[in-house]
Amino acid sequence: MSVLGVDWYAAATHSPGVGRYGRELVRAWLRLEGDVPDVSLYEVGAGAPRLAAAAEALTGDDVVRRPRVHLRLRVPRRAADLAARAVGADGLLRGCTAFLRSDPTRPVVRRARTVFAIDSWPEGDAERERFAAVLRENDEFIVFAHAAADRLVDGFGVGRERVHVTCAGSDHWLRDATPVDEAPSPRTLLVLGAVSDRRAPVAVLEAFERLRVDRTLERMVVCGRAGDGVQEFESKLRFSSARSDVEWVRDVREQDLPARVRDAAVLVHVGAGEATAVTPLEAFAFGVPAVVSDLPEMREVLGDLAHHVPRTKPRRLGEAVADAVRAALDADTPATRAARRARAAESTWSACAAATAELVRSWK
């Protein structure tokens, strides 16, 4: 029988991004019915209590399948990697058909196919070198839009047979919050993700300053750690006329995010290198409008239900974002909120798990 091995460390220790992908994929996988491949969790690392806590999230009355856990090493991850070099992580798991990595180049896998999900594109020479290593070190790749598959094949020379498209699950926060038909007061601009240059945080702040002046919006909330754009953003914020109405949550608590997204008037998610529309889809799940970068992946998944902003000169980007936010809010009605929720409902974790399970089953 086919078996998917999953590196569970990131799933247990990282709330967003690759951690959520692994955690929610396995959670949905265990609830699939029918002829579903087994899943084996590769649990290693010093965060054993957190690993156990994350495993508890997989249980419940609606669980159909339980994971076959062959390895639980309560040792530092580096030591476990040394052990895996001898027989491979798949050997330690007593065999699997494919192994889903959260780190693109480890652990060592000897016989099983290595699988890695791509959610962003490299920028600059250094990133491209690291990305080339990702492509060399893995056998199969999962992407979340056909446009991303085309770019991986045409732009990076990956064989089409190695690239597989699934949807990106976006319904996880609906377990904890119920959508509303209009944004509550105060009307809030929400930004999710690290304060990094590729997400243009200064331009978004400039957009909020414009929107605050004409009372289109009243608050801005940034939920994300300090990234490489932090110095410029902090400098801009320190002298901003809108600084008293900007909240920056650096230590984001996962349990707070569902309500924050549901209660936002608009999500702004502009940046470079995005290979997935999962963040705006998370907003769409609540019916919340989204302003996003004009990228092929965004166009394909979100269509005209999102407002797309071309990356322009930095001095004009803030104005472009402000104009897009106004347009998004002007078009925000119960009907358009229902349409966004319907679009997000096409991208569930159940559908993602089912598509991934079909892939594993085909790899015998």
Side-chain angles (χ1 to χ4, degrees), residues 139-151:
D139 300 312
E140 312 286 343
F141 300 96
I142 290 175
V143 293
F144 304 103
H146 292 283
D150 291 341
R151 181 164 180 177

Side-chain angles (χ1 to χ4, degrees), residues 279-304:
T279 301
L281 277 173
E282 290 170 333
F284 272 22
F286 289 107
V288 173
V291 171
V292 302
S293 299
D294 193 0
L295 298 170
E297 293 85 355
M298 299 290 183
R299 287 279 180 185
E300 177 184 330
V301 175
L302 306 173
D304 292 337

Side-chain angles (χ1 to χ4, degrees), residues 26-47:
V26 171
R27 188 179 193 277
W29 192 295
L30 301 181
R31 288 159 172 80
L32 294 175
E33 298 184 1
D35 181 20
V36 182
D38 275 328
V39 58
S40 292
L41 306 185
Y42 181 77
E43 294 192 40
V44 300

Side-chain angles (χ1 to χ4, degrees), residues 334-345:
T336 56
R337 287 199 164 218
R340 295 185 201 106
R341 291 195 295 268
R343 179 61 59 87

Side-chain angles (χ1 to χ4, degrees), residues 8-14 23 30 41-60 66-67 69 71-74:
W8 190 243
Y9 183 76
T13 58
H14 292 72
R23 190 170 58 250
L30 301 181
L41 306 185
Y42 181 77
E43 294 192 40
V44 300
R50 288 180 293 180
L51 289 165
E56 289 177 7
L58 301 178
T59 63
R66 302 291 184 180
V69 182
L71 179 66
R72 294 186 178 184
L73 292 180
R74 304 313 192 199

Side-chain angles (χ1 to χ4, degrees), residues 184-189 208 211-212 215-220 242 244-246:
S185 181
R187 292 170 66 80
T188 301
L189 183 158
F208 175 64
L211 296 162
R212 177 176 171 272
R215 305 302 293 174
T216 300
L217 291 172
E218 299 160 283
R219 294 181 67 242
M220 173 175 168
S244 61
D245 294 314
V246 176

